[in-house]
Amino acid sequence: MKTFPHTFLWGGATAANQVEGAYLEDGKGLSTSDVQPHGVFGEVVERVPGDSGIKDVAIDFYHRYPEDIALFAEMGFNCLRVSIAWTRIYPNGDDAEPNEAGLAFYDKLFDEMAQHNITPLVTLSHYEMPWALVKNYGGWGNRKVIGFFERYARTVFERFKGKVKLWLTFNEINMSLHAPMTGVGLPADSSKAEVYQAIHHQLVASALAVKACHEIVPEGKIGNMLLGGLMYPLSCKPEDVFKTLQENRSWQFFGDVQCRGAYPGYMLRYFRENGFELNITDADRDALKSTVDFISFSYYMTGCVTADEALNNKARGNILNMVPNPHLESSEWGWQIDPLGLRTLLNVLWDRYQKPLFIVENGLGAKDKVEADGSINDDYRISYLNDHLVQAREAIEDGVELMGFTSWGPIDLVSASKAELSKRYGFIYVDRNDDGSGTLARSKKKSFGWYKEVIATHGASLKE
Ligand code: BG6
């Protein structure tokens, strides 16, 4: 019988701005997420006193985390991915001192997890940064932000070094190419050269955080976090195959820098040929040599690439504007479902880096129906997760070193792309709707018991 290793980390993944709410409580400052009420691709809306967006309360995890963590523990989680909101620690990013109330909140959160034997996996920056750093410094376009981030990272490593041993630097660091405000605090109409310069600063900051973590939490491990955007050629035409290589490299380059400690030649050529004169100093090159201990990534879908411009200009299939794959079904949001692609991606990343891998996001966003008796029969979610976990297990059999699996949104939360609550990922239902109505009460879906059994049996209950 095929099972996952008994050391495997099982759990779920969340992000502060999508669950916590309490967006101004206990001294928290405004973040880029707070000023993007319509999601990561949405426009920036300046806040006015008294206004309110869905993320301001989110699912009120800030106040309800003990109940939620008890439910995660009931499912058998031994790991929970959360992020720290930078703005709870340094409300403006450049404050002279950290905000004690913000640090105290995460102390309580990690203590609660410890009581249930749940290992925290903590993202330093998940799709947000202090809005004041954007307004006053120009976001990651400004080199000074590297220093502010390093100070924030050192503050939380020092404070939580006894409680948190697993860290991630920037969530889906490659998303900046698609959502510059969310990723690097730059306006949507920024030039590619500006975005790549900001990305460079963020890559340096990521490496400095790795170095700081190794110094301050020597027995800990720190990873990067990539959006695993695997692409296939639409046909076997050599032009399609080569273009696919280039498209895959457009996100793999982040991993190359974070795992190998230097820019790959193909990227330097790309910058050169496009006239992007990036300011990369010797000190930057030196900093980049601090490489991650493991690679984490999200996986939701795959897509196709074609060199045929006529086909390229047709309607696209999903969030990353990929050409739809005629062999795959799509979710209600047009994300193409491809469990075998996960096995492929795990093998590609393992072959490329030979570093341990961690699937820190995977799941199905769907509209759930609450039956008259209160039950929620989310067989579609069970089937999606079952099929992906089967392929993850196959990849382990292939020889891939896989540390764990944290499904995205183990409890319903606010979606990132469009700030909706009706796009649900959870094993736990939250009574809250897109218009903000609802009691915020939690209830178990059918998938709750299913995931509990998967964890308890180390994956033996999965159906091939
Ligand atoms: C990833 C992000 O892109 O995908 C999460 O790291 C996000 O923050 C998740 O929520 C799913 O996307 P969405 O748009 O369905 O919430």
PDB file of all heavy atoms in Angstrom, residues 15 18 81 126-127 171-172 225 227 298 300 319 335 361 408 413-418 423 425, ligand 1:
ATOM      1  N   ALA A  15      -3.354  33.308   4.439  1.00  0.00           N
ATOM      2  CA  ALA A  15      -2.571  34.548   4.391  1.00  0.00           C
ATOM      3  C   ALA A  15      -3.272  35.577   5.269  1.00  0.00           C
ATOM      4  O   ALA A  15      -4.507  35.631   5.297  1.00  0.00           O
ATOM      5  CB  ALA A  15      -2.491  35.077   2.961  1.00  0.00           C
ATOM      6  N   GLN A  18      -6.126  37.712   3.993  1.00  0.00           N
ATOM      7  CA  GLN A  18      -7.304  37.004   3.511  1.00  0.00           C
ATOM      8  C   GLN A  18      -8.119  36.357   4.636  1.00  0.00           C
ATOM      9  O   GLN A  18      -9.212  35.877   4.395  1.00  0.00           O
ATOM     10  CB  GLN A  18      -6.889  35.952   2.472  1.00  0.00           C
ATOM     11  CG  GLN A  18      -6.353  36.596   1.198  1.00  0.00           C
ATOM     12  CD  GLN A  18      -5.757  35.601   0.213  1.00  0.00           C
ATOM     13  OE1 GLN A  18      -4.549  35.438   0.156  1.00  0.00           O
ATOM     14  NE2 GLN A  18      -6.602  34.929  -0.537  1.00  0.00           N
ATOM     15  N   ARG A  81       0.176  26.842   7.567  1.00  0.00           N
ATOM     16  CA  ARG A  81       0.872  27.974   6.959  1.00  0.00           C
ATOM     17  C   ARG A  81       0.055  29.242   7.218  1.00  0.00           C
ATOM     18  O   ARG A  81      -1.127  29.308   6.872  1.00  0.00           O
ATOM     19  CB  ARG A  81       1.040  27.744   5.456  1.00  0.00           C
ATOM     20  CG  ARG A  81       1.715  28.897   4.755  1.00  0.00           C
ATOM     21  CD  ARG A  81       1.924  28.648   3.265  1.00  0.00           C
ATOM     22  NE  ARG A  81       2.426  29.867   2.661  1.00  0.00           N
ATOM     23  CZ  ARG A  81       2.041  30.365   1.508  1.00  0.00           C
ATOM     24  NH1 ARG A  81       1.150  29.713   0.760  1.00  0.00           N
ATOM     25  NH2 ARG A  81       2.532  31.501   1.060  1.00  0.00           N
ATOM     26  N   HIS A 126       3.018  37.965   2.343  1.00  0.00           N
ATOM     27  CA  HIS A 126       2.059  37.307   1.444  1.00  0.00           C
ATOM     28  C   HIS A 126       1.199  38.383   0.803  1.00  0.00           C
ATOM     29  O   HIS A 126       0.213  38.834   1.381  1.00  0.00           O
ATOM     30  CB  HIS A 126       1.196  36.311   2.214  1.00  0.00           C
ATOM     31  CG  HIS A 126       0.362  35.429   1.319  1.00  0.00           C
ATOM     32  ND1 HIS A 126       0.388  34.051   1.393  1.00  0.00           N
ATOM     33  CD2 HIS A 126      -0.506  35.714   0.312  1.00  0.00           C
ATOM     34  CE1 HIS A 126      -0.439  33.533   0.492  1.00  0.00           C
ATOM     35  NE2 HIS A 126      -0.997  34.530  -0.190  1.00  0.00           N
ATOM     36  N   TYR A 127       1.575  38.795  -0.379  1.00  0.00           N
ATOM     37  CA  TYR A 127       0.757  39.703  -1.191  1.00  0.00           C
ATOM     38  C   TYR A 127       0.418  41.011  -0.473  1.00  0.00           C
ATOM     39  O   TYR A 127      -0.692  41.530  -0.633  1.00  0.00           O
ATOM     40  CB  TYR A 127      -0.545  39.000  -1.573  1.00  0.00           C
ATOM     41  CG  TYR A 127      -0.475  38.126  -2.796  1.00  0.00           C
ATOM     42  CD1 TYR A 127       0.692  37.953  -3.507  1.00  0.00           C
ATOM     43  CD2 TYR A 127      -1.615  37.469  -3.256  1.00  0.00           C
ATOM     44  CE1 TYR A 127       0.732  37.149  -4.627  1.00  0.00           C
ATOM     45  CE2 TYR A 127      -1.582  36.662  -4.393  1.00  0.00           C
ATOM     46  CZ  TYR A 127      -0.406  36.513  -5.072  1.00  0.00           C
ATOM     47  OH  TYR A 127      -0.388  35.730  -6.188  1.00  0.00           O
ATOM     48  N   ASN A 171       5.551  35.389  -0.881  1.00  0.00           N
ATOM     49  CA  ASN A 171       4.562  34.542  -1.539  1.00  0.00           C
ATOM     50  C   ASN A 171       4.565  34.771  -3.051  1.00  0.00           C
ATOM     51  O   ASN A 171       4.531  35.918  -3.514  1.00  0.00           O
ATOM     52  CB  ASN A 171       3.164  34.872  -0.993  1.00  0.00           C
ATOM     53  CG  ASN A 171       2.094  34.007  -1.624  1.00  0.00           C
ATOM     54  OD1 ASN A 171       2.101  32.787  -1.455  1.00  0.00           O
ATOM     55  ND2 ASN A 171       1.181  34.605  -2.370  1.00  0.00           N
ATOM     56  N   GLU A 172       4.581  33.687  -3.806  1.00  0.00           N
ATOM     57  CA  GLU A 172       4.482  33.752  -5.269  1.00  0.00           C
ATOM     58  C   GLU A 172       5.261  34.945  -5.818  1.00  0.00           C
ATOM     59  O   GLU A 172       4.709  35.830  -6.470  1.00  0.00           O
ATOM     60  CB  GLU A 172       3.016  33.820  -5.701  1.00  0.00           C
ATOM     61  CG  GLU A 172       2.270  32.526  -5.410  1.00  0.00           C
ATOM     62  CD  GLU A 172       0.867  32.459  -6.002  1.00  0.00           C
ATOM     63  OE1 GLU A 172       0.310  33.516  -6.333  1.00  0.00           O
ATOM     64  OE2 GLU A 172       0.331  31.343  -6.130  1.00  0.00           O
ATOM     65  N   MET A 225       8.991  30.886  -2.341  1.00  0.00           N
ATOM     66  CA  MET A 225       7.625  30.477  -2.673  1.00  0.00           C
ATOM     67  C   MET A 225       7.310  30.962  -4.088  1.00  0.00           C
ATOM     68  O   MET A 225       7.334  32.157  -4.361  1.00  0.00           O
ATOM     69  CB  MET A 225       6.662  31.072  -1.651  1.00  0.00           C
ATOM     70  CG  MET A 225       5.311  30.390  -1.559  1.00  0.00           C
ATOM     71  SD  MET A 225       4.350  30.396  -3.086  1.00  0.00           S
ATOM     72  CE  MET A 225       2.737  30.019  -2.537  1.00  0.00           C
ATOM     73  N   LEU A 227       4.847  30.671  -7.670  1.00  0.00           N
ATOM     74  CA  LEU A 227       3.614  30.235  -8.312  1.00  0.00           C
ATOM     75  C   LEU A 227       4.045  29.215  -9.355  1.00  0.00           C
ATOM     76  O   LEU A 227       4.759  29.551 -10.310  1.00  0.00           O
ATOM     77  CB  LEU A 227       2.921  31.431  -8.968  1.00  0.00           C
ATOM     78  CG  LEU A 227       1.542  31.191  -9.591  1.00  0.00           C
ATOM     79  CD1 LEU A 227       0.838  32.526  -9.739  1.00  0.00           C
ATOM     80  CD2 LEU A 227       1.603  30.505 -10.932  1.00  0.00           C
ATOM     81  N   SER A 298       2.934  27.042  -5.085  1.00  0.00           N
ATOM     82  CA  SER A 298       1.490  26.820  -5.203  1.00  0.00           C
ATOM     83  C   SER A 298       1.252  26.106  -6.520  1.00  0.00           C
ATOM     84  O   SER A 298       2.003  26.284  -7.487  1.00  0.00           O
ATOM     85  CB  SER A 298       0.744  28.154  -5.204  1.00  0.00           C
ATOM     86  OG  SER A 298       1.149  28.936  -6.307  1.00  0.00           O
ATOM     87  N   TYR A 300      -2.160  25.144  -8.971  1.00  0.00           N
ATOM     88  CA  TYR A 300      -3.603  25.100  -9.213  1.00  0.00           C
ATOM     89  C   TYR A 300      -3.934  24.598 -10.613  1.00  0.00           C
ATOM     90  O   TYR A 300      -4.990  24.030 -10.826  1.00  0.00           O
ATOM     91  CB  TYR A 300      -4.222  26.502  -9.064  1.00  0.00           C
ATOM     92  CG  TYR A 300      -4.150  27.020  -7.654  1.00  0.00           C
ATOM     93  CD1 TYR A 300      -3.096  27.833  -7.239  1.00  0.00           C
ATOM     94  CD2 TYR A 300      -5.122  26.668  -6.726  1.00  0.00           C
ATOM     95  CE1 TYR A 300      -3.021  28.294  -5.930  1.00  0.00           C
ATOM     96  CE2 TYR A 300      -5.060  27.120  -5.422  1.00  0.00           C
ATOM     97  CZ  TYR A 300      -4.008  27.936  -5.026  1.00  0.00           C
ATOM     98  OH  TYR A 300      -3.931  28.375  -3.737  1.00  0.00           O
ATOM     99  N   ILE A 319      -6.203  32.734 -15.103  1.00  0.00           N
ATOM    100  CA  ILE A 319      -5.620  33.898 -14.447  1.00  0.00           C
ATOM    101  C   ILE A 319      -4.304  34.361 -15.082  1.00  0.00           C
ATOM    102  O   ILE A 319      -4.018  35.538 -15.143  1.00  0.00           O
ATOM    103  CB  ILE A 319      -5.441  33.572 -12.945  1.00  0.00           C
ATOM    104  CG1 ILE A 319      -5.115  34.793 -12.125  1.00  0.00           C
ATOM    105  CG2 ILE A 319      -4.410  32.506 -12.720  1.00  0.00           C
ATOM    106  CD1 ILE A 319      -5.099  34.511 -10.632  1.00  0.00           C
ATOM    107  N   TRP A 335      -9.985  27.885 -14.247  1.00  0.00           N
ATOM    108  CA  TRP A 335      -8.648  27.356 -13.951  1.00  0.00           C
ATOM    109  C   TRP A 335      -8.639  25.891 -14.360  1.00  0.00           C
ATOM    110  O   TRP A 335      -9.462  25.100 -13.884  1.00  0.00           O
ATOM    111  CB  TRP A 335      -8.320  27.509 -12.455  1.00  0.00           C
ATOM    112  CG  TRP A 335      -8.191  28.946 -12.002  1.00  0.00           C
ATOM    113  CD1 TRP A 335      -8.642  30.063 -12.662  1.00  0.00           C
ATOM    114  CD2 TRP A 335      -7.596  29.415 -10.797  1.00  0.00           C
ATOM    115  NE1 TRP A 335      -8.348  31.195 -11.940  1.00  0.00           N
ATOM    116  CE2 TRP A 335      -7.708  30.836 -10.785  1.00  0.00           C
ATOM    117  CE3 TRP A 335      -6.969  28.793  -9.725  1.00  0.00           C
ATOM    118  CZ2 TRP A 335      -7.227  31.625  -9.747  1.00  0.00           C
ATOM    119  CZ3 TRP A 335      -6.484  29.583  -8.683  1.00  0.00           C
ATOM    120  CH2 TRP A 335      -6.608  30.977  -8.694  1.00  0.00           C
ATOM    121  N   GLU A 361       0.361  25.330  -1.424  1.00  0.00           N
ATOM    122  CA  GLU A 361      -0.984  25.749  -1.843  1.00  0.00           C
ATOM    123  C   GLU A 361      -1.455  24.814  -2.940  1.00  0.00           C
ATOM    124  O   GLU A 361      -0.726  24.571  -3.913  1.00  0.00           O
ATOM    125  CB  GLU A 361      -0.990  27.168  -2.423  1.00  0.00           C
ATOM    126  CG  GLU A 361      -0.921  28.267  -1.413  1.00  0.00           C
ATOM    127  CD  GLU A 361      -1.140  29.637  -2.030  1.00  0.00           C
ATOM    128  OE1 GLU A 361      -1.912  29.763  -2.999  1.00  0.00           O
ATOM    129  OE2 GLU A 361      -0.510  30.588  -1.530  1.00  0.00           O
ATOM    130  N   TRP A 408      -4.692  24.937   0.081  1.00  0.00           N
ATOM    131  CA  TRP A 408      -5.019  26.353   0.197  1.00  0.00           C
ATOM    132  C   TRP A 408      -6.387  26.525   0.852  1.00  0.00           C
ATOM    133  O   TRP A 408      -7.339  25.827   0.522  1.00  0.00           O
ATOM    134  CB  TRP A 408      -5.007  27.064  -1.170  1.00  0.00           C
ATOM    135  CG  TRP A 408      -5.428  28.499  -0.987  1.00  0.00           C
ATOM    136  CD1 TRP A 408      -6.582  29.085  -1.414  1.00  0.00           C
ATOM    137  CD2 TRP A 408      -4.704  29.514  -0.265  1.00  0.00           C
ATOM    138  NE1 TRP A 408      -6.622  30.402  -1.004  1.00  0.00           N
ATOM    139  CE2 TRP A 408      -5.484  30.684  -0.289  1.00  0.00           C
ATOM    140  CE3 TRP A 408      -3.487  29.541   0.423  1.00  0.00           C
ATOM    141  CZ2 TRP A 408      -5.082  31.883   0.327  1.00  0.00           C
ATOM    142  CZ3 TRP A 408      -3.080  30.724   1.040  1.00  0.00           C
ATOM    143  CH2 TRP A 408      -3.867  31.876   0.989  1.00  0.00           C
ATOM    144  N   LEU A 413     -12.016  31.595   2.925  1.00  0.00           N
ATOM    145  CA  LEU A 413     -11.374  32.892   3.152  1.00  0.00           C
ATOM    146  C   LEU A 413     -11.648  33.796   1.954  1.00  0.00           C
ATOM    147  O   LEU A 413     -12.316  33.382   1.008  1.00  0.00           O
ATOM    148  CB  LEU A 413      -9.872  32.718   3.429  1.00  0.00           C
ATOM    149  CG  LEU A 413      -9.081  31.673   2.629  1.00  0.00           C
ATOM    150  CD1 LEU A 413      -8.951  32.059   1.190  1.00  0.00           C
ATOM    151  CD2 LEU A 413      -7.711  31.465   3.233  1.00  0.00           C
ATOM    152  N   VAL A 414     -11.162  35.006   2.009  1.00  0.00           N
ATOM    153  CA  VAL A 414     -11.396  35.943   0.913  1.00  0.00           C
ATOM    154  C   VAL A 414     -10.425  35.606  -0.219  1.00  0.00           C
ATOM    155  O   VAL A 414      -9.220  35.508   0.009  1.00  0.00           O
ATOM    156  CB  VAL A 414     -11.166  37.403   1.368  1.00  0.00           C
ATOM    157  CG1 VAL A 414     -11.462  38.368   0.221  1.00  0.00           C
ATOM    158  CG2 VAL A 414     -12.021  37.740   2.579  1.00  0.00           C
ATOM    159  N   SER A 415     -10.957  35.421  -1.420  1.00  0.00           N
ATOM    160  CA  SER A 415     -10.064  35.058  -2.528  1.00  0.00           C
ATOM    161  C   SER A 415      -9.163  36.238  -2.883  1.00  0.00           C
ATOM    162  O   SER A 415      -9.524  37.404  -2.683  1.00  0.00           O
ATOM    163  CB  SER A 415     -10.863  34.593  -3.749  1.00  0.00           C
ATOM    164  OG  SER A 415     -11.093  35.660  -4.617  1.00  0.00           O
ATOM    165  N   ALA A 416      -7.976  35.911  -3.378  1.00  0.00           N
ATOM    166  CA  ALA A 416      -7.004  36.968  -3.679  1.00  0.00           C
ATOM    167  C   ALA A 416      -7.330  37.675  -4.982  1.00  0.00           C
ATOM    168  O   ALA A 416      -7.319  38.907  -5.053  1.00  0.00           O
ATOM    169  CB  ALA A 416      -5.602  36.377  -3.745  1.00  0.00           C
ATOM    170  N   SER A 417      -7.665  36.917  -6.026  1.00  0.00           N
ATOM    171  CA  SER A 417      -7.759  37.557  -7.339  1.00  0.00           C
ATOM    172  C   SER A 417      -8.911  38.542  -7.435  1.00  0.00           C
ATOM    173  O   SER A 417      -8.761  39.601  -8.013  1.00  0.00           O
ATOM    174  CB  SER A 417      -7.816  36.518  -8.457  1.00  0.00           C
ATOM    175  OG  SER A 417      -8.739  35.506  -8.178  1.00  0.00           O
ATOM    176  N   LYS A 418     -10.072  38.187  -6.846  1.00  0.00           N
ATOM    177  CA  LYS A 418     -11.205  39.116  -6.974  1.00  0.00           C
ATOM    178  C   LYS A 418     -11.826  39.517  -5.645  1.00  0.00           C
ATOM    179  O   LYS A 418     -12.912  40.101  -5.621  1.00  0.00           O
ATOM    180  CB  LYS A 418     -12.272  38.480  -7.865  1.00  0.00           C
ATOM    181  CG  LYS A 418     -11.798  38.264  -9.298  1.00  0.00           C
ATOM    182  CD  LYS A 418     -12.940  38.450 -10.294  1.00  0.00           C
ATOM    183  CE  LYS A 418     -12.453  38.277 -11.714  1.00  0.00           C
ATOM    184  NZ  LYS A 418     -12.884  37.026 -12.317  1.00  0.00           N
ATOM    185  N   LYS A 423     -15.981  32.311  -3.647  1.00  0.00           N
ATOM    186  CA  LYS A 423     -15.030  31.340  -4.185  1.00  0.00           C
ATOM    187  C   LYS A 423     -14.402  30.649  -2.978  1.00  0.00           C
ATOM    188  O   LYS A 423     -13.501  31.187  -2.339  1.00  0.00           O
ATOM    189  CB  LYS A 423     -13.959  32.044  -5.026  1.00  0.00           C
ATOM    190  CG  LYS A 423     -13.044  31.076  -5.748  1.00  0.00           C
ATOM    191  CD  LYS A 423     -12.014  31.808  -6.591  1.00  0.00           C
ATOM    192  CE  LYS A 423     -11.236  30.847  -7.463  1.00  0.00           C
ATOM    193  NZ  LYS A 423     -10.143  31.511  -8.189  1.00  0.00           N
ATOM    194  N   TYR A 425     -12.624  27.543  -0.726  1.00  0.00           N
ATOM    195  CA  TYR A 425     -11.639  26.460  -0.804  1.00  0.00           C
ATOM    196  C   TYR A 425     -11.718  25.522   0.403  1.00  0.00           C
ATOM    197  O   TYR A 425     -11.061  24.497   0.432  1.00  0.00           O
ATOM    198  CB  TYR A 425     -10.222  27.037  -0.825  1.00  0.00           C
ATOM    199  CG  TYR A 425      -9.803  27.683  -2.131  1.00  0.00           C
ATOM    200  CD1 TYR A 425     -10.093  29.017  -2.400  1.00  0.00           C
ATOM    201  CD2 TYR A 425      -9.114  26.957  -3.101  1.00  0.00           C
ATOM    202  CE1 TYR A 425      -9.708  29.616  -3.603  1.00  0.00           C
ATOM    203  CE2 TYR A 425      -8.720  27.535  -4.292  1.00  0.00           C
ATOM    204  CZ  TYR A 425      -9.023  28.866  -4.539  1.00  0.00           C
ATOM    205  OH  TYR A 425      -8.635  29.450  -5.727  1.00  0.00           O
TER     206      TYR A 425
HETATM  207  C1  BG6 B   1      -2.397  32.104  -4.790  1.00  0.00           C
HETATM  208  C2  BG6 B   1      -2.200  33.025  -3.632  1.00  0.00           C
HETATM  209  O1  BG6 B   1      -2.241  32.840  -5.938  1.00  0.00           O
HETATM  210  O2  BG6 B   1      -3.626  31.548  -5.044  1.00  0.00           O
HETATM  211  C3  BG6 B   1      -3.339  33.046  -2.634  1.00  0.00           C
HETATM  212  O3  BG6 B   1      -0.988  32.814  -2.967  1.00  0.00           O
HETATM  213  C4  BG6 B   1      -4.649  32.923  -3.377  1.00  0.00           C
HETATM  214  O4  BG6 B   1      -3.240  34.213  -1.865  1.00  0.00           O
HETATM  215  C5  BG6 B   1      -4.669  31.596  -4.104  1.00  0.00           C
HETATM  216  O5  BG6 B   1      -5.769  33.094  -2.572  1.00  0.00           O
HETATM  217  C6  BG6 B   1      -5.957  31.290  -4.837  1.00  0.00           C
HETATM  218  O6  BG6 B   1      -6.328  32.354  -5.638  1.00  0.00           O
HETATM  219  P1  BG6 B   1      -7.763  33.002  -5.517  1.00  0.00           P
HETATM  220  O7  BG6 B   1      -7.762  34.154  -6.411  1.00  0.00           O
HETATM  221  O8  BG6 B   1      -8.721  31.941  -5.933  1.00  0.00           O
HETATM  222  O9  BG6 B   1      -7.927  33.382  -4.095  1.00  0.00           O
END
